Amino acid sequence: MIEYRTLRVALLGAGSVGSQVARLLLENREELAARSGADLQLVGIAVRNLDAKRDVELPRELYTTDAETLIVGADIVIELMGGIEPAKTYILQALNAGADVITGNKALLAEHGAEIFGAAEQVGAEVYYEAAVAAAIPIIRPLRDSLAGDNIKRILAIVNGSTNYILDRMDRFGDSMADAQKTAFELGFLEADPTLDVEGYDAAQKATLLASLAFHSSVPASGVHREGISQITPEQIQAAKDAGYVIKLLAIAERITDEDGTEGVSARVYPALVDRNHPLASVHGGNNAVFVEAEAAGPLMFYGAGAGGVQTASAILGDLVSAARRHVAGGPGLGESTHADLPLLPIGSVTTKYQISLLVTDRPGVLARIAGILSDGGVSVETVQQTVQPGEEDDATGTATLVIGTHAAREAALQATVEALTASEDTQAVVSVLRVEGAE
Amino acid sequence: MIEYRTLRVALLGAGSVGSQVARLLLENREELAARSGADLQLVGIAVRNLDAKRDVELPRELYTTDAETLIVGADIVIELMGGIEPAKTYILQALNAGADVITGNKALLAEHGAEIFGAAEQVGAEVYYEAAVAAAIPIIRPLRDSLAGDNIKRILAIVNGSTNYILDRMDRFGDSMADAQKTAFELGFLEADPTLDVEGYDAAQKATLLASLAFHSSVPASGVHREGISQITPEQIQAAKDAGYVIKLLAIAERITDEDGTEGVSARVYPALVDRNHPLASVHGGNNAVFVEAEAAGPLMFYGAGAGGVQTASAILGDLVSAARRHVAGGPGLGESTHADLPLLPIGSVTTKYQISLLVTDRPGVLARIAGILSDGGVSVETVQQTVQPGEEDDATGTATLVIGTHAAREAALQATVEALTASEDTQAVVSVLRVEGAE
């Protein structure tokens, strides 16, 4: 028998992920030792209520309500409580005591990442967070290590399974938003309060983490542009389909240059049109995928389940093996890479293509006048499709639908143009403005 | 300015990958320093011919024909010469001198991996080979690190872009094998001697590396079962399409249990039927994808370009940053993980579903007799489709096509059953036997 060095592992939280981590850690102790070079001893699980019902049966003596005592003397602390406090306090305590920290807490890292990574760097410890962005899908290591010699241009990511499930149902079965949300809730894809998912907060936190990592910059969560999917209509879904697109809620991290030539980063979340031939278009149900475009590597995609207790536990255990190997090898942890220090640029600086649907009064010269507004706004038109409302073909003052596809334009110019379109006497309503993502 | 420690990098080979590595290394030296903590100094490029034409213009003084002198004193040696010798000798020299080695040489690692990893372990150096399996697609690190706490069940991989291109053309445009190969050659997807690609040797080397890594065992390349695509016909492609499948050349690494209960590994390469809804089915053209099924993480897929000079260079530079970080942090390299030490089991022990196409003489009782042969062989039938040849419906001794889909069966039983079918008086010809992969 090989004698392995023992590392003391403290687990904070025994929810759906935590209980699976504990189970796998106990069940696979020998394999984990052989793979990491250390005997990983689970010294305790901090919970709020010792008597709560758990997903997994674990030795009762592991549970404690005293997280702070548990943290003392741990070599590695796994935080799976979620939320900002007391998770943040415990993580800082662990780091200050020299322990490595593994966490899946995207909200905490998005809001307080700089402080946490700073504390780790002070003591040469490391913070692992593979589970924070896309659960079991390896994306942190590929960005931090595999692509460390490349320059990333853009990341388009489906990182919220709930909204992908909802949009996929609307796309495939013609559900209304309300019905799709109801089904998502019944199947456990959506929380009782759907706001975090549906309004894009969860995806925005992940966009913050992806952008920081990809562009070696500290991206402030507060500056991330965020739009949810609650306003998406079955009509938009159908129109997208007719035009060869699918609507996906994307978390986007992109290296951009603004009008003044300032290089910076855009991090944003919104529902966007994606070509049906794009690899992201075939990400169905509650799955996640991260599509990365790098200068040398070209396009890459990482696909899998983006949620689930045992799936997320896989990522946590991968981090645990990494942390243990580092303890065995010695040397300081790899700090946060922020050397590029690029500014987060506002949504107005972003350049994308758009698809605009308008209801206009169908009278002579309307198309020319609408085209003129776009042209005046600096928005160049790529395609126009005009549909006169059925039964009104002979009515010279009837209603027509205009679907306008634009060439790439600055968001600021586009927004001003949409305002001008709204104000036009020809316009009855601006029905839909959606960005097109994933084009060259 | 931060003062970085200097690390001396020697490059062996200046082909399509090597020249891109050199270019990126020189162009991105500052970024690489900031990301790795070390100033990576390219001390020379060993080539056979100083005057050969190169893809990239590089400082002439970097070139040398004296690889052995270049290796002496290098901290990191990047081997991109390909082939077994002299690459193997140089790599062993580098490792014995304490240098880390980065290589994309799949043939060498598949054949002599144990010796090379052993030499690295002796001196605490590390061998990096992210580029060896799927070029820029991160797969070595995800398997070695991200999934280190999980147990992998199966890997189905499209790791040869040439054959994927050929099969994709046959599937999408109805090309013959010869025409598809001709186009692949004209577009640079295929070498003048297509054997390595078309007969599955390249994929088999990659299957060896994937199986070793995934199952923590030293898998001998010589035992990997290999079948190429040269016998695939347009008729098989069309029949697959009609049945909702696509034919893909798969490199498969699977944890299996044989009839006697022996746990082991299967590593194999063959063209297989994949359901059109499987994520691997939408991998078109020369792209690669690695589909990993893990116990906790569930299914994951890694997708991107599987070849190309600059794409492969991205993987090499990622390894370079990792190697540099390890030099900065100190401590020994991570050795090869072979603790599980599972045996490589023969193809006969593999269990899959099959689709068998037979031409039979259409006379009373033929279906019952054919079904009897399958049943006697222990192969259970899931579906049968019988098609009488057009124009012969009334001919009692005409020809019928039987397409039989089986339940999962042992390869050994299946092979014996196919022999029995071939010997049957009812059978005119066994037209096609293909395995079905990717099912639950």
Side-chain angles (χ1 to χ4, degrees):
Chain A
M1 281 293 288
I2 303 170
E3 275 293 319
Y4 295 109
R5 168 174 170 193
T6 297
L7 292 175
R8 295 164 57 86
V9 179
L11 178 60
L12 312 182
S16 64
V17 181
S19 57
Q20 293 293 342
V21 167
R23 177 180 68 83
L24 293 168
L25 190 42
L26 296 173
E27 282 179 11
N28 298 324
R29 192 162 168 179
E30 271 180 56
E31 286 85 350
L32 292 171
R35 295 176 194 173
S36 70
D39 181 28
L40 295 159
Q41 188 196 350
L42 180 60
V43 291
I45 308 172
V47 294
R48 261 177 303 192
N49 176 358
L50 291 175
D51 301 316
K53 225 177 129 48
R54 314 281 171 204
D55 294 358
V56 176
E57 187 94 14
L58 297 167
R60 222 189 137 76
E61 63 272 20
L62 284 174
Y63 293 110
T64 170
T65 54
D66 184 359
E68 307 214 1
T69 302
L70 187 61
I71 290 167
V72 175
D75 298 295
I76 300 168
V77 174
I78 303 175
E79 183 276 308
L80 294 169
M81 317 171 75
I84 303 299
E85 284 295 355
K88 185 184 164 205
T89 298
Y90 292 154
I91 284 178
L92 291 173
Q93 281 175 357
L95 291 171
N96 291 333
D100 280 347
V101 166
I102 298 167
T103 178
N105 195 328
K106 55 203 167 276
L108 179 59
L109 291 177
E111 293 288 340
H112 302 282
E115 185 179 351
I116 288 166
F117 290 114
E121 214 154 340
Q122 284 284 326
V123 295
E126 186 153 340
V127 178
Y128 299 85
Y129 60 105
E130 185 63 87
V133 170
I137 307 172
I139 185 61
I140 303 300
R141 264 182 210 83
L143 289 175
R144 206 193 61 166
D145 300 335
S146 308
L147 291 164
D150 206 331
N151 292 312
I152 291 164
K153 296 191 292 186
R154 183 164 63 173
I155 296 176
L156 303 174
I158 297 172
V159 282
N160 182 274
S162 315
T163 47
N164 199 60
Y165 181 84
I166 291 166
L167 292 172
D168 195 38
R169 272 205 76 89
M170 292 175 75
D171 183 69
R172 296 211 281 181
F173 306 112
D175 281 17
S176 69
M177 173 60 70
D179 285 349
Q181 285 200 28
K182 187 160 169 283
T183 309
F185 173 72
E186 284 164 5
L187 294 176
F189 281 114
L190 206 56
E191 307 280 322
D193 176 2
T195 312
L196 274 183
D197 291 322
V198 170
E199 297 305 341
Y201 290 95
D202 172 80
Q205 289 163 354
K206 292 164 174 173
T208 309
L209 301 183
L210 288 172
S212 298
L213 194 61
F215 303 115
H216 303 274
S217 300
S218 198
V219 171
S222 56
V224 175
H225 178 84
R226 178 193 50 74
E227 298 171 33
I229 64 163
S230 56
Q231 304 306 312
I232 296 294
T233 64
E235 290 72 27
Q236 285 178 308
I237 299 269
Q238 186 57 49
K241 220 172 195 172
D242 295 343
Y245 293 115
V246 58
I247 299 178
K248 293 288 187 191
L249 182 71
L250 297 181
I252 302 172
E254 188 174 15
R255 182 151 181 169
I256 63 172
T257 308
D258 76 5
E259 297 98 316
D260 308 327
T262 307
E263 292 238 38
V265 168
S266 163
R268 58 195 195 268
V269 170
Y270 45 60
L273 297 166
V274 175
D275 190 291
R276 284 199 177 253
N277 292 316
H278 193 283
L280 286 172
S282 48
V283 177
H284 296 297
N287 286 306
N288 280 195
V290 183
F291 187 81
V292 179
E293 296 167 79
E295 269 177 27
L300 300 168
M301 193 167 86
F302 305 81
Y303 165 92
V310 71
Q311 290 87 346
T312 309
S314 171
I316 297 286
L317 285 170
D319 281 351
L320 186 58
V321 171
S322 288
R325 286 175 181 162
R326 202 184 69 70
H327 272 270
V328 172
L334 190 65
E336 195 189 14
S337 175
T338 55
H339 67 86
D341 201 19
L342 292 167
L344 179 62
L345 297 177
I347 185 74
S349 303
V350 170
T351 302
T352 61
K353 295 182 168 198
Y354 299 82
Q355 185 148 305
I356 306 166
S357 277
L358 296 175
L359 287 182
V360 296
T361 304
D362 186 26
R363 53 192 173 196
V366 58
L367 188 54
R369 287 191 297 277
I370 294 292
I373 293 172
L374 286 151
S375 161
D376 290 348
V379 176
S380 168
V381 173
E382 189 176 15
T383 60
V384 182
Q385 201 195 330
Q386 178 166 359
T387 319
V388 177
Q389 298 302 305
E392 303 190 14
E393 284 88 347
D394 299 326
D395 181 350
T397 54
T399 299
T401 301
L402 285 185
V403 179
I404 301 162
T406 77
H407 285 289
R410 290 269 179 210
E411 177 83 19
L414 192 279
Q415 291 299 348
T417 303
V418 169
E419 277 175 37
L421 287 171
T422 307
S424 158
E425 286 186 358
D426 291 308
T427 304
Q428 295 177 10
V430 177
V431 177
S432 168
V433 181
L434 285 169
R435 300 160 188 100
V436 181
E437 293 285 355
E440 286 301 299
Chain B
M1 281 294 287
I2 303 169
E3 276 291 321
Y4 295 108
R5 168 175 169 192
T6 297
L7 291 175
R8 294 164 58 89
V9 179
L11 178 60
L12 312 181
S16 64
V17 180
S19 56
Q20 293 293 343
V21 167
R23 177 180 69 81
L24 292 169
L25 191 43
L26 297 172
E27 282 179 12
N28 297 324
R29 192 162 167 179
E30 270 180 58
E31 286 86 350
L32 292 171
R35 295 176 195 174
S36 69
D39 182 28
L40 294 160
Q41 187 196 352
L42 180 61
V43 292
I45 308 172
V47 294
R48 261 177 302 192
N49 176 1
L50 291 175
D51 301 316
K53 226 178 127 47
R54 312 280 173 205
D55 294 357
V56 176
E57 186 93 17
L58 296 167
R60 221 186 138 74
E61 65 272 19
L62 283 174
Y63 292 109
T64 172
T65 54
D66 183 359
E68 307 213 1
T69 303
L70 187 61
I71 289 167
V72 175
D75 298 296
I76 300 167
V77 173
I78 303 174
E79 183 276 309
L80 294 169
M81 318 171 74
I84 303 299
E85 284 295 354
K88 185 184 163 204
T89 299
Y90 291 156
I91 284 178
L92 290 174
Q93 282 176 356
L95 291 171
N96 291 333
D100 281 345
V101 166
I102 298 167
T103 179
N105 196 327
K106 54 202 167 276
L108 180 59
L109 291 177
E111 292 288 340
H112 302 282
E115 186 179 352
I116 288 167
F117 290 114
E121 215 155 338
Q122 284 285 325
V123 296
E126 187 153 341
V127 178
Y128 299 86
Y129 59 106
E130 185 62 86
V133 171
I137 306 172
I139 184 61
I140 303 300
R141 264 182 210 83
L143 289 176
R144 207 193 58 166
D145 301 335
S146 309
L147 291 165
D150 206 332
N151 290 313
I152 291 166
K153 296 191 293 186
R154 183 164 63 173
I155 296 176
L156 303 174
I158 297 171
V159 282
N160 181 273
S162 315
T163 46
N164 198 60
Y165 181 84
I166 291 165
L167 292 172
D168 195 38
R169 272 204 76 91
M170 292 175 76
D171 183 68
R172 294 210 283 181
F173 306 112
D175 282 16
S176 69
M177 174 59 70
D179 285 349
Q181 286 201 27
K182 188 162 169 284
T183 309
F185 174 71
E186 285 164 5
L187 294 176
F189 281 112
L190 206 56
E191 307 281 323
D193 176 0
T195 312
L196 273 184
D197 291 322
V198 170
E199 297 304 342
Y201 291 94
D202 172 80
Q205 289 163 354
K206 292 165 175 175
T208 308
L209 300 184
L210 287 172
S212 299
L213 195 59
F215 302 116
H216 304 273
S217 300
S218 199
V219 172
S222 56
V224 175
H225 178 84
R226 179 194 50 73
E227 298 171 34
I229 64 164
S230 56
Q231 304 306 314
I232 296 294
T233 63
E235 290 71 29
Q236 285 178 308
I237 300 268
Q238 185 57 48
K241 220 173 195 171
D242 294 344
Y245 293 115
V246 58
I247 299 178
K248 294 287 186 190
L249 182 70
L250 298 181
I252 302 172
E254 188 173 17
R255 182 150 182 170
I256 62 173
T257 307
D258 77 5
E259 297 99 316
D260 308 328
T262 307
E263 293 237 38
V265 167
S266 163
R268 58 194 196 268
V269 169
Y270 45 61
L273 297 166
V274 175
D275 190 291
R276 285 199 177 254
N277 293 317
H278 193 283
L280 286 171
S282 48
V283 177
H284 296 298
N287 286 306
N288 280 195
V290 183
F291 188 81
V292 179
E293 296 166 79
E295 269 177 26
L300 300 168
M301 192 168 85
F302 305 82
Y303 165 92
V310 70
Q311 290 87 347
T312 309
S314 170
I316 298 286
L317 286 170
D319 281 351
L320 186 57
V321 170
S322 287
R325 286 176 180 162
R326 201 182 70 70
H327 273 269
V328 171
L334 189 65
E336 195 189 15
S337 175
T338 55
H339 67 87
D341 201 19
L342 292 167
L344 179 62
L345 296 177
I347 184 74
S349 303
V350 170
T351 303
T352 61
K353 295 182 166 197
Y354 299 82
Q355 186 150 305
I356 306 167
S357 277
L358 298 175
L359 288 182
V360 296
T361 304
D362 185 27
R363 54 191 174 196
V366 57
L367 188 55
R369 287 190 298 275
I370 294 292
I373 293 172
L374 286 151
S375 159
D376 290 348
V379 177
S380 167
V381 174
E382 188 176 15
T383 59
V384 182
Q385 201 195 329
Q386 177 166 0
T387 319
V388 176
Q389 299 302 304
E392 303 188 15
E393 284 88 348
D394 300 326
D395 182 352
T397 55
T399 299
T401 301
L402 284 185
V403 179
I404 301 161
T406 78
H407 285 290
R410 290 268 179 211
E411 177 83 20
L414 191 279
Q415 291 299 348
T417 302
V418 169
E419 276 175 39
L421 287 171
T422 307
S424 159
E425 286 186 1
D426 290 307
T427 303
Q428 296 178 11
V430 176
V431 177
S432 168
V433 181
L434 285 170
R435 300 162 188 99
V436 181
E437 292 286 354
E440 286 301 302

